[in-house]
Amino acid sequence: MGVADLGLPVDVPSTALFTDHYELTMLQAALRAGTAGRRSVFEVFTRRLPDGRRYGVVGGTGRVLDAVENFRFDADVLGYLRERRVVDEPTLEWLADYRFGGDVWGYPEGEVYFPGSPIMRVEGSFGECVLLETVILSILNHDSAIAAAASRMASAAGGRPLIEMGARRTHELAAVAASRAAYLGGFTSTSDLAAGFRYNIPTVGTSAHAFTLLHDSERDAFQAQVDSLGRDTTLLVDTYDVTEAVRTAVEIAGPELGSVRIDSGDLLLVAHRVRQQLDELGARDTKIIVTSDLDEYAIASLAAAPVDAYGVGTQLVTGSGHPTASMVYKLVARAETGDAGAPLVPVAKKSTGGKISIGGRKWAARRLDAHGVAEAEVVGTGPVPDRLAGRQLLVELVKGGEVVAREPLDAARDRHAAARANLPLSATQLSRGEPVLPTEYVHTGSGS
């Protein structure tokens, strides 16, 4: 099933150069040494969560599948590599026929993860797997960071709708990915039309302060907007005087006015005053939307305010202070020889400063307590214990080079809501703390 099969209107271009120079030079050296064909296992994981975070959110898996499927070296790309002498001719000939033919397993998108979780496992020859490192990490690190921030904000919002509106605060292409990750994490809509077009995310928007300033008076601006968009529109009421603007808005639109938006000031105080004024004017069903540099802490502080929806921009698309998930892509096992049936041997980097890795092809399972609540992330090598067999987390994403687990974004969104609900209650606390689940490592014998 391809992108078009899901009704998505934009194809993904070749991703072959979304990589680092040294991936290709490693390939060249391995081809010359005769080791590029050795069966290898790479794993994506993070050694730690961002400071104070209780859980991570797997975001970007669907985009990774698109990227792997479209990792092709066409004539123009090969010409560029030849002209710049990045690699030699034998390597260019190998790249011309490149198609990832291995297997990919991973946590399904929307699932939560913890330090050491084998979020994605890529298996195949060294040559075909090593080339995917940069593009996989760039997608997972960005999207998982945004999804985690969105999840925290959704928890803080307590069921109130969240609008993603950060396109003007990040790279134009990153904005589309950020909208997708935000929707995955619990946001309900986006202001970014490219994200709506690409991923079928609901889009919303009405007017900015410039529209009010364009007109001779605020009344003229409101009248023009209501005439064009109807009484159910959202009027921005903080360009001049909020109290006067709310009065004018109700006079023009009547009690059928859809919403008012507040974008500045003491949002807690202003929201209470606006709610009281709307009720006194008979606009009891008119909703209040607040924006203005919100993050999860600001949203939580407004929990008792008469706010109906939040619009979030800068803090969301920058991961609310943590713009990366710090994931790495490490070789954890490789064949002893280039023979097809050669056994795998665990390999691991040994380093100081906390940058160690654990060798071996891993599985992961989530253990539940007597009440059905998650209590530990269990990561192991070797056979999976019977007691955990039904709780395994990794699913097959790519088999023999073919994507086998593409799914609608709403499925990943629903999965995240369920996964978060299955965590201990402390997972949604915004105060600093350790990961809500410990990671336990087990080794059950041969099984790399």
Side-chain angles (χ1 to χ4, degrees):
M1 181 167 59
V3 172
D5 296 316
L6 290 178
L8 305 179
V10 179
D11 289 331
V12 177
S14 171
T15 51
L17 290 184
F18 292 168
T19 192
D20 288 306
H21 186 118
Y22 79 166
E23 311 291 8
L24 299 186
T25 52
M26 278 194 288
L27 171 65
Q28 175 179 307
L31 287 170
R32 182 170 297 184
T35 53
R38 284 187 176 183
R39 182 182 169 211
S40 300
V41 180
F42 286 82
E43 288 177 353
V44 176
F45 63 93
T46 184
R47 297 182 177 97
R48 63 190 66 83
L49 297 179
D51 186 34
R53 296 285 173 91
R54 304 297 181 92
Y55 61 92
V57 180
V58 179
T61 307
R63 297 207 306 122
V64 167
L65 298 180
D66 290 342
V68 171
E69 197 170 53
N70 290 279
F71 204 91
R72 304 283 187 269
F73 292 84
D74 59 24
D76 289 340
V77 170
L78 292 170
Y80 164 77
L81 297 175
R82 180 178 291 110
E83 177 187 346
R84 299 300 177 95
R85 300 180 182 274
V86 175
V87 290
D88 59 18
E89 282 300 322
T91 305
L92 291 172
E93 293 175 9
W94 191 94
L95 292 173
D97 296 326
Y98 180 87
R99 299 290 185 276
F100 179 73
D103 302 327
V104 179
W105 290 72
Y107 281 39
E109 190 162 21
E111 184 57 85
V112 296
Y113 70 86
F114 300 91
S117 297
I119 296 160
M120 186 169 287
R121 189 175 72 220
V122 182
E123 304 183 35
S125 71
F126 176 84
E128 64 183 336
C129 294
V130 76
L131 292 182
L132 299 177
E133 174 181 7
T134 302
V135 70
I136 287 177
L137 286 180
S138 65
I139 293 172
L140 292 181
N141 268 314
H142 174 268
D143 290 24
S144 296
I146 306 304
S151 178
R152 284 163 58 85
M153 293 175 189
S155 292
R160 294 171 177 174
L162 290 157
I163 306 163
E164 185 281 313
M165 48 196 305
R168 63 191 63 190
R169 296 292 187 258
T170 188
H171 184 278
E172 66 272 17
L173 298 182
V176 181
S179 293
R180 181 186 184 280
Y183 186 70
L184 164 69
F187 275 58
T188 52
S189 57
T190 179
S191 67
D192 189 72
L193 288 174
F197 181 66
R198 176 69 179 86
Y199 296 114
N200 201 30
I201 301 169
T203 61
V204 296
T206 51
S207 67
H209 292 104
F211 184 78
T212 301
L213 296 170
L214 166 69
H215 292 81
D216 295 336
S217 69
E218 194 168 51
R219 177 177 291 275
D220 289 346
F222 288 176
Q223 188 68 62
Q225 185 173 326
V226 170
D227 288 346
S228 175
L229 301 179
R231 296 175 184 272
D232 194 40
T233 191
T234 299
L235 295 176
L236 180 59
V237 296
D238 72 327
T239 305
Y240 304 119
D241 178 84
V242 173
T243 301
E244 183 60 31
V246 171
R247 182 181 299 110
T248 302
V250 176
E251 287 177 2
I252 291 172
E256 298 86 4
L257 175 61
S259 307
V260 295
R261 178 162 75 95
I262 306 167
D263 188 51
S264 60
D266 183 335
L267 297 179
L268 179 62
L269 176 63
V270 175
H272 277 287
R273 288 178 174 174
V274 168
R275 181 73 272 160
Q276 180 179 355
Q277 185 181 8
L278 288 169
D279 291 347
E280 290 172 351
L281 293 171
R284 295 183 177 276
D285 294 328
T286 299
K287 293 178 170 55
I288 297 175
I289 301 171
V290 296
T291 53
S292 185
D293 293 326
L294 298 178
D295 60 11
E296 60 265 50
Y297 302 101
I299 291 169
S301 73
L302 293 168
V307 172
D308 297 285
Y310 307 90
V312 189
T314 303
Q315 291 301 318
L316 175 67
V317 299
T318 56
S320 195
H322 298 288
T324 177
S326 300
M327 294 177 186
V328 294
Y329 183 96
K330 296 298 181 183
L331 182 66
V332 296
R334 51 91 174 164
E336 292 180 331
T337 69
D339 295 339
L344 289 173
V345 294
V347 295
K349 173 183 177 180
K350 294 183 179 180
S351 177
T352 59
K355 297 184 70 173
I356 63 171
S357 58
I358 298 174
R361 182 179 185 272
K362 299 174 195 67
W363 50 263
R366 188 160 298 145
R367 193 175 69 238
L368 307 182
D369 65 16
H371 303 285
V373 177
E375 67 175 4
E377 195 87 339
V378 185
V379 176
T381 57
V384 180
D386 291 342
R387 68 183 184 281
L388 295 174
R391 301 296 309 169
Q392 293 189 74
L393 292 165
L394 277 75
V395 299
E396 194 169 31
L397 302 171
V398 177
K399 182 177 183 178
E402 297 295 324
V403 174
V404 296
R406 192 174 270 116
E407 63 183 2
L409 182 57
D410 277 321
R413 188 173 188 267
D414 292 343
R415 179 182 297 115
H416 174 62
R420 188 177 63 199
N422 192 236
L423 295 175
L425 288 176
S426 58
T428 58
Q429 292 179 350
L430 296 182
S431 56
R432 291 185 178 275
E434 298 299 315
V436 71
L437 296 187
T439 303
E440 299 176 0
Y441 292 96
V442 299
H443 176 65
T444 57
S446 178
S448 295

Coordinates of all heavy atoms in Angstrom, one line a residue, residues 379-429:
V379 N 13.4 -4.9 28.7 CA 14.2 -5.0 27.4 C 15.1 -6.1 27.6 O 15.9 -6.3 28.6 CB 14.9 -3.7 27.2 CG1 15.8 -3.8 25.9 CG2 14.0 -2.5 27.0
G380 N 15.1 -7.0 26.6 CA 16.0 -8.2 26.7 C 16.5 -8.7 25.4 O 16.2 -8.3 24.3
T381 N 17.5 -9.6 25.6 CA 18.1 -10.4 24.5 C 17.8 -11.9 24.7 O 17.6 -12.3 25.9 CB 19.6 -10.2 24.3 OG1 20.2 -10.5 25.5 CG2 19.9 -8.7 24.0
G382 N 17.7 -12.6 23.7 CA 17.4 -14.0 23.8 C 15.9 -14.3 23.7 O 15.2 -13.4 23.4
P383 N 15.5 -15.5 24.0 CA 14.0 -15.8 23.9 C 13.2 -14.9 24.9 O 13.6 -14.6 26.0 CB 14.0 -17.3 24.3 CG 15.4 -17.8 24.0 CD 16.3 -16.7 24.3
V384 N 12.0 -14.6 24.4 CA 11.1 -13.8 25.3 C 10.4 -14.7 26.3 O 9.9 -15.8 25.9 CB 10.0 -13.1 24.4 CG1 9.1 -12.3 25.3 CG2 10.6 -12.3 23.3
P385 N 10.5 -14.4 27.6 CA 9.9 -15.2 28.6 C 8.4 -15.4 28.3 O 7.7 -14.4 27.9 CB 10.1 -14.5 29.9 CG 11.3 -13.6 29.6 CD 11.2 -13.2 28.2
D386 N 7.8 -16.5 28.6 CA 6.4 -16.8 28.3 C 5.5 -15.8 29.0 O 4.5 -15.4 28.4 CB 6.0 -18.2 28.8 CG 6.7 -19.3 28.0 OD1 7.1 -19.0 26.9 OD2 6.8 -20.5 28.5
R387 N 5.9 -15.3 30.2 CA 5.0 -14.4 30.9 C 4.9 -13.0 30.2 O 4.0 -12.3 30.5 CB 5.5 -14.2 32.4 CG 6.8 -13.5 32.5 CD 7.4 -13.4 33.9 NE 8.6 -12.6 34.0 CZ 9.8 -13.1 33.7 NH1 9.9 -14.3 33.3 NH2 10.8 -12.3 33.9
L388 N 5.8 -12.7 29.3 CA 5.8 -11.5 28.6 C 5.5 -11.6 27.2 O 5.4 -10.6 26.5 CB 7.2 -10.8 28.8 CG 7.6 -10.4 30.2 CD1 9.0 -9.9 30.2 CD2 6.7 -9.3 30.8
A389 N 5.3 -12.8 26.7 CA 5.1 -13.0 25.3 C 3.9 -12.2 24.7 O 3.9 -11.7 23.6 CB 4.9 -14.5 25.0
G390 N 2.8 -12.0 25.5 CA 1.7 -11.3 25.1 C 1.8 -9.8 25.3 O 0.8 -9.1 24.9
R391 N 2.9 -9.3 25.8 CA 3.1 -7.9 26.1 C 4.2 -7.3 25.2 O 4.7 -6.2 25.6 CB 3.4 -7.7 27.6 CG 2.3 -8.2 28.5 CD 1.0 -7.5 28.4 NE 1.2 -6.1 28.4 CZ 0.2 -5.2 28.1 NH1 -1.0 -5.6 27.7 NH2 0.4 -3.9 28.2
Q392 N 4.6 -7.9 24.2 CA 5.7 -7.4 23.4 C 5.3 -6.1 22.6 O 4.1 -6.0 22.2 CB 6.1 -8.5 22.3 CG 6.8 -9.7 23.0 CD 7.4 -10.6 21.9 OE1 8.4 -10.3 21.4 NE2 6.8 -11.7 21.7
L393 N 6.2 -5.2 22.5 CA 6.0 -3.9 22.0 C 6.3 -3.7 20.5 O 5.7 -3.0 19.8 CB 6.7 -2.9 22.8 CG 6.2 -2.7 24.2 CD1 7.2 -2.0 25.1 CD2 4.8 -2.0 24.2
L394 N 7.4 -4.4 20.0 CA 7.8 -4.2 18.7 C 6.9 -4.9 17.7 O 6.5 -6.0 17.9 CB 9.2 -4.7 18.5 CG 10.4 -3.7 18.9 CD1 10.5 -3.7 20.4 CD2 11.7 -4.1 18.2
V395 N 6.6 -4.2 16.6 CA 5.8 -4.8 15.5 C 6.6 -4.7 14.2 O 7.5 -3.9 14.1 CB 4.4 -4.1 15.4 CG1 3.6 -4.2 16.6 CG2 4.6 -2.6 15.0
E396 N 6.2 -5.6 13.3 CA 6.9 -5.6 12.0 C 6.4 -4.4 11.1 O 5.2 -4.3 10.9 CB 6.7 -6.9 11.3 CG 7.6 -7.2 10.1 CD 7.5 -8.6 9.6 OE1 6.4 -9.2 9.7 OE2 8.6 -9.1 9.1
L397 N 7.4 -3.6 10.7 CA 7.0 -2.5 9.9 C 7.4 -2.7 8.4 O 6.7 -2.2 7.5 CB 7.8 -1.2 10.4 CG 7.5 -0.9 11.9 CD1 8.4 0.2 12.3 CD2 6.0 -0.4 12.0
V398 N 8.5 -3.3 8.2 CA 9.0 -3.6 6.8 C 9.5 -5.0 6.8 O 10.2 -5.4 7.6 CB 10.2 -2.6 6.4 CG1 10.7 -2.9 5.0 CG2 9.7 -1.2 6.5
K399 N 9.1 -5.7 5.7 CA 9.5 -7.1 5.6 C 10.1 -7.3 4.2 O 9.4 -7.1 3.2 CB 8.3 -8.1 5.8 CG 8.7 -9.5 5.7 CD 7.5 -10.4 6.1 CE 7.9 -11.9 6.0 NZ 6.7 -12.8 6.4
G400 N 11.3 -7.7 4.1 CA 12.0 -7.9 2.8 C 11.9 -6.7 2.0 O 11.8 -6.8 0.7
G401 N 12.0 -5.6 2.6 CA 12.0 -4.3 1.8 C 10.6 -3.7 1.5 O 10.5 -2.6 1.0
E402 N 9.6 -4.5 1.9 CA 8.2 -4.0 1.6 C 7.6 -3.5 2.9 O 7.6 -4.2 3.9 CB 7.4 -5.1 1.0 CG 7.9 -5.7 -0.3 CD 7.8 -4.6 -1.4 OE1 6.8 -3.8 -1.4 OE2 8.7 -4.6 -2.3
V403 N 7.0 -2.3 2.8 CA 6.3 -1.8 4.0 C 5.0 -2.6 4.2 O 4.2 -2.8 3.3 CB 5.9 -0.3 3.7 CG1 5.0 0.2 4.8 CG2 7.1 0.6 3.6
V404 N 4.9 -3.0 5.5 CA 3.7 -3.9 5.8 C 2.8 -3.3 6.9 O 1.9 -4.0 7.3 CB 4.2 -5.3 6.2 CG1 4.9 -6.0 5.1 CG2 5.1 -5.2 7.5
A405 N 3.2 -2.1 7.4 CA 2.4 -1.6 8.5 C 2.0 -0.2 8.4 O 1.9 0.5 9.4 CB 3.2 -1.8 9.8
R406 N 1.8 0.3 7.2 CA 1.4 1.7 7.0 C -0.1 1.8 7.5 O -0.9 0.9 7.3 CB 1.5 2.1 5.6 CG 1.4 3.6 5.4 CD 1.7 4.0 4.0 NE 3.1 4.3 3.8 CZ 3.9 3.7 3.0 NH1 3.4 2.6 2.3 NH2 5.1 4.0 2.8
E407 N -0.4 2.9 8.2 CA -1.7 3.1 8.8 C -2.1 4.5 8.8 O -1.2 5.4 8.6 CB -1.7 2.6 10.2 CG -0.7 3.3 11.1 CD -0.7 2.8 12.5 OE1 -1.4 1.8 12.8 OE2 0.0 3.4 13.4
P408 N -3.4 4.8 8.9 CA -3.8 6.2 9.0 C -3.3 6.9 10.2 O -3.1 6.2 11.2 CB -5.4 6.1 9.0 CG -5.7 4.7 8.5 CD -4.5 3.9 8.9
L409 N -3.1 8.2 10.1 CA -2.6 8.9 11.3 C -3.5 8.8 12.5 O -3.1 8.8 13.6 CB -2.4 10.4 10.9 CG -1.8 11.3 11.9 CD1 -0.4 10.8 12.5 CD2 -1.6 12.7 11.4
D410 N -4.8 8.8 12.2 CA -5.8 8.7 13.4 C -5.6 7.4 14.2 O -5.8 7.4 15.4 CB -7.2 8.7 12.8 CG -7.7 10.2 12.6 OD1 -7.3 11.0 13.4 OD2 -8.4 10.4 11.6
A411 N -5.1 6.3 13.5 CA -4.8 5.1 14.3 C -3.7 5.3 15.3 O -3.8 4.8 16.4 CB -4.5 4.0 13.3
A412 N -2.6 6.0 14.9 CA -1.5 6.3 15.8 C -2.0 7.2 16.9 O -1.5 7.1 18.0 CB -0.4 6.8 15.0
R413 N -2.8 8.2 16.5 CA -3.3 9.1 17.5 C -4.1 8.4 18.6 O -3.9 8.7 19.8 CB -4.2 10.2 16.8 CG -4.6 11.4 17.6 CD -5.3 12.4 16.7 NE -5.6 13.6 17.4 CZ -6.8 13.9 18.0 NH1 -7.7 13.0 18.0 NH2 -6.9 15.0 18.6
D414 N -5.0 7.5 18.2 CA -5.8 6.7 19.1 C -4.9 5.8 20.0 O -5.1 5.7 21.2 CB -6.8 5.9 18.4 CG -7.9 6.7 17.8 OD1 -8.1 7.9 18.1 OD2 -8.6 6.2 16.9
R415 N -3.9 5.3 19.4 CA -2.9 4.4 20.1 C -2.2 5.2 21.2 O -2.1 4.7 22.3 CB -1.9 3.8 19.1 CG -0.9 2.9 19.9 CD 0.1 2.3 18.9 NE -0.5 1.5 17.9 CZ -0.5 1.8 16.6 NH1 0.0 2.9 16.1 NH2 -1.1 0.9 15.7
H416 N -1.8 6.4 20.9 CA -1.1 7.2 21.9 C -2.0 7.5 23.1 O -1.6 7.4 24.2 CB -0.6 8.5 21.4 CG 0.0 9.3 22.4 ND1 1.1 8.9 23.2 CD2 -0.4 10.5 23.0 CE1 1.4 9.8 24.1 NE2 0.5 10.8 24.0
A417 N -3.3 7.9 22.8 CA -4.2 8.2 23.9 C -4.4 6.9 24.8 O -4.4 7.1 26.0 CB -5.6 8.6 23.3
A418 N -4.4 5.8 24.2 CA -4.6 4.5 25.0 C -3.3 4.2 25.8 O -3.4 3.8 26.9 CB -5.0 3.4 24.1
A419 N -2.2 4.4 25.1 CA -0.9 4.1 25.8 C -0.7 5.0 27.0 O -0.2 4.6 28.1 CB 0.3 4.2 24.8
R420 N -1.0 6.3 26.8 CA -0.8 7.2 27.9 C -1.8 6.9 29.1 O -1.4 7.0 30.3 CB -1.0 8.7 27.4 CG -0.7 9.8 28.4 CD -0.8 11.1 27.8 NE -2.2 11.4 27.4 CZ -2.6 12.3 26.6 NH1 -1.7 13.0 25.9 NH2 -3.9 12.5 26.3
A421 N -3.0 6.5 28.7 CA -3.9 6.2 29.8 C -3.5 5.0 30.6 O -4.0 4.8 31.7 CB -5.3 6.0 29.1
N422 N -2.7 4.1 30.0 CA -2.3 2.9 30.7 C -1.1 3.1 31.6 O -0.7 2.2 32.3 CB -2.0 1.8 29.6 CG -1.8 0.4 30.2 OD1 -0.8 -0.2 30.0 ND2 -2.8 0.0 30.9
L423 N -0.5 4.3 31.6 CA 0.6 4.6 32.5 C 0.1 5.0 33.9 O -1.1 5.4 34.0 CB 1.4 5.7 31.9 CG 2.1 5.5 30.6 CD1 2.8 6.8 30.1 CD2 3.1 4.4 30.7
P424 N 1.0 4.9 34.9 CA 0.6 5.4 36.2 C 0.2 6.9 36.1 O 0.6 7.6 35.3 CB 1.9 5.2 37.0 CG 2.6 4.1 36.3 CD 2.3 4.3 34.9
L425 N -0.7 7.3 37.1 CA -1.2 8.6 37.1 C -0.1 9.7 37.1 O -0.2 10.8 36.5 CB -2.1 8.8 38.2 CG -3.5 8.1 38.1 CD1 -4.3 8.3 39.4 CD2 -4.3 8.7 36.9
S426 N 1.0 9.4 37.7 CA 2.1 10.4 37.8 C 2.7 10.7 36.5 O 3.5 11.7 36.4 CB 3.2 9.9 38.8 OG 3.7 8.6 38.4
A427 N 2.4 9.9 35.4 CA 3.0 10.2 34.1 C 2.6 11.6 33.6 O 3.4 12.2 32.9 CB 2.6 9.1 33.1
T428 N 1.4 12.1 34.0 CA 0.9 13.3 33.5 C 1.3 14.5 34.3 O 0.9 15.7 34.0 CB -0.6 13.3 33.3 OG1 -1.2 13.0 34.5 CG2 -0.9 12.2 32.2
Q429 N 2.0 14.3 35.4 CA 2.4 15.4 36.3 C 3.5 16.3 35.5 O 4.3 15.7 34.9 CB 3.0 14.9 37.6 CG 2.0 14.3 38.5 CD 2.6 13.7 39.8 OE1 3.9 13.7 39.9 NE2 1.8 13.3 40.7

